Amino acid sequence: MNNIIFTPTVILESYKKGIFPMGDSENNRVILWCNPDKRAVIPVGKLHISRSLRKECMKRNLNFSIDRCFEKIILKCADRNETWITPPLIQNYISLNRYGYAHSIEIWDKTTLLGGLYGVSIGAAFFAESMFSESRNGSKFAMIALMFILVKNNFLLLDVQFMTKHLRTMGAKELTKTEFLQELEKAKNRPANFQKSKLTNINTELLDTIYY
């Protein structure tokens, strides 16, 4: 795929085939197309929330928003010493957000941004790309809000790409490439509305919806 012009349409078609792009931190013009043999997913409705994290959610009056500041979220995710979120990716994901495919979740303590994440929604599949924390557990709060949205809107698949210790503690499991593509085939053709959510407060109702 190295000779293909990098556009939002190309990105979407790649996701539908189980392939996702990553930039090269040493050369902004290089796009790497990833199709790993093992794929990490978190089963929808089975996010593991530790007792301590649940207690922290209950003690704090946190809110989440969807797509309030997508560009800020992706730039925060890219702000690290070495990043695969290079300028060409940033610009294309901003375009995908304008077209209604890429979404961000923001976590707020009143007007203070605590963390967030972004990813791509196709049918009933959500492909989580990256997350960040400005304070303790900010990215975990964002994952909680994401799972609530996916459960409420009957999503079938949450792709988190590569397994990490952090994701494993939150309930992630690995699928073979064949297994992942089978799940993707079911999910991508099923209509789902990512943005529909009346509840914006991380409270007992939200936690009970996804608690595992």
Side-chain angles (χ1 to χ4, degrees), residues 30-83:
V30 174
I31 300 297
L32 307 173
W33 296 96
C34 301
N35 188 11
D37 291 331
K38 291 186 177 181
R39 199 67 163 258
V41 303
I42 300 179
V44 176
K46 293 188 177 181
L47 182 71
H48 177 70
I49 306 171
S50 67
R51 290 183 179 179
S52 59
L53 184 60
R54 182 181 174 89
K55 287 180 179 178
E56 187 175 354
C57 288
M58 297 303 299
K59 289 169 67 174
R60 305 179 67 175
N61 186 29
L62 303 178
N63 293 297
F64 72 88
S65 57
I66 302 171
D67 292 337
R68 180 180 295 180
C69 50
F70 181 89
E71 185 170 348
K72 183 174 184 177
I73 296 302
I74 194 171
L75 290 174
K76 287 282 188 182
C77 290
D79 186 15
R80 59 191 75 182
N81 291 332
E82 289 190 15
T83 181

Side-chain angles (χ1 to χ4, degrees), residues 154-187:
N154 299 311
F155 273 68
L156 299 177
L157 178 66
L158 171 55
D159 169 39
V160 291
Q161 299 180 348
F162 299 111
M163 181 64 77
T164 65
K165 182 178 178 180
H166 170 69
L167 290 171
R168 193 181 296 277
T169 64
M170 299 196 79
K173 67 176 186 178
E174 283 188 322
L175 301 179
T176 65
K177 185 185 296 187
T178 299
E179 291 170 334
F180 177 78
L181 291 175
Q182 289 173 344
E183 295 302 311
L184 176 58
E185 188 65 30
K186 297 175 190 174

